[in-house]
Amino acid sequence: STGSGATLARQTSSSRTGSGRPFSKIWREGEKMAEYKPEAEPKAWADGVPVFCAHDAIVDVAKLVPNPKNPNQHPDNQIQLLGRIIRQAGWRQPITVSKRSGFIVKGHGRLAAALLEGMNEAPVDYQNYTTEAEEYADLVADNRIAELAETDNKLLADIFAEIDTGEIPMELTGYTEDEVEASSPRCQKPSTMA
């Protein structure tokens, strides 16, 4: 594990992912995201940020209206992290807007992150809803269903072991280097059998 401000230098001709693609990048804790740019071909661009997700339009963020009844609250650290991920990895999910009400149904956090990063455009998916109840159900289910998921820590640790931090910054996963290190099997306490 590296401490804050420590340099992780990777200069090699092969990676743990087996790509064999040469790379020479220096990632610094807190600066990692500033240097990363995806190489995949985007479907579009939104204010200089690549858009990889399906969407109906690239829209001025000033025209997007959050649903005033959205019960989901996003802490500042979540919005900051999401903003850095979108800025560096591109848009992988659009903001969903109801054609019925004009309100955002999914993506309130993405809008807040875009605004925090000073982005002026975002990809939008316009969806039809028959009733207000149907729209509210989708609004609430969007976050609730994700909350019900359970993480398989062994599979998560396996994925982390496969990610080459010389190729991409670990922060793109939403986890810090310290959290990744803590999930490593060698850091786990052995379980005792009853």
Side-chain angles (χ1 to χ4, degrees):
S1 173
T2 61
S4 180
T7 301
L8 296 175
R10 300 264 199 248
Q11 295 184 344
T12 181
S13 61
S14 65
S15 67
R16 284 185 287 181
T17 59
S19 69
R21 189 173 63 156
F23 57 88
S24 175
K25 295 181 180 174
I26 298 175
W27 305 118
R28 294 181 190 273
E29 201 70 36
E31 294 177 23
K32 292 180 182 183
M33 302 297 276
E35 294 185 36
Y36 184 77
K37 294 288 182 193
E39 295 178 13
E41 183 68 30
K43 293 180 178 188
W45 293 86
D47 201 22
V49 178
V51 177
F52 300 101
C53 58
H55 62 283
D56 294 319
I58 302 297
V59 176
D60 183 330
V61 293
K63 295 181 179 179
L64 298 175
V65 182
N67 189 310
K69 294 188 177 181
N70 178 31
N72 301 305
Q73 301 300 307
H74 299 281
D76 290 345
N77 62 340
Q78 179 196 31
I79 297 304
Q80 292 165 0
L81 176 60
L82 181 56
R84 289 191 306 268
I85 290 171
I86 292 170
R87 169 71 65 196
Q88 301 308 317
W91 289 93
R92 295 289 180 172
Q93 294 180 28
I95 295 171
T96 300
V97 173
S98 168
K99 286 184 174 182
R100 191 193 67 75
S101 69
F103 290 138
I104 293 173
V105 179
K106 301 175 188 174
H108 290 84
R110 290 186 287 280
L111 173 61
L115 291 170
L116 181 69
E117 284 289 318
M119 296 177 203
N120 295 313
E121 297 176 321
V124 172
D125 173 35
Y126 291 101
Q127 293 190 11
N128 292 318
Y129 294 91
T130 308
T131 65
E132 184 176 61
E134 188 177 285
E135 187 174 321
Y136 283 153
D138 196 27
L139 171 84
V140 173
D142 181 48
N143 287 287
R144 177 60 179 152
I145 298 304
E147 290 171 3
L148 297 173
E150 295 179 8
T151 301
D152 181 321
N153 290 322
K154 183 186 179 325
L155 289 176
L156 183 62
D158 290 347
I159 288 172
F160 288 152
E162 291 293 319
I163 293 175
D164 184 337
T165 57
E167 186 174 354
I168 68 164
M170 189 58 74
E171 192 177 30
L172 287 176
T173 68
Y175 287 83
T176 65
E177 295 279 347
D178 290 339
E179 290 169 328
V180 170
E181 183 65 29
S183 73
S184 170
R186 68 180 185 277
C187 292
Q188 302 292 317
K189 294 180 182 176
S191 60
T192 57
M193 300 191 84

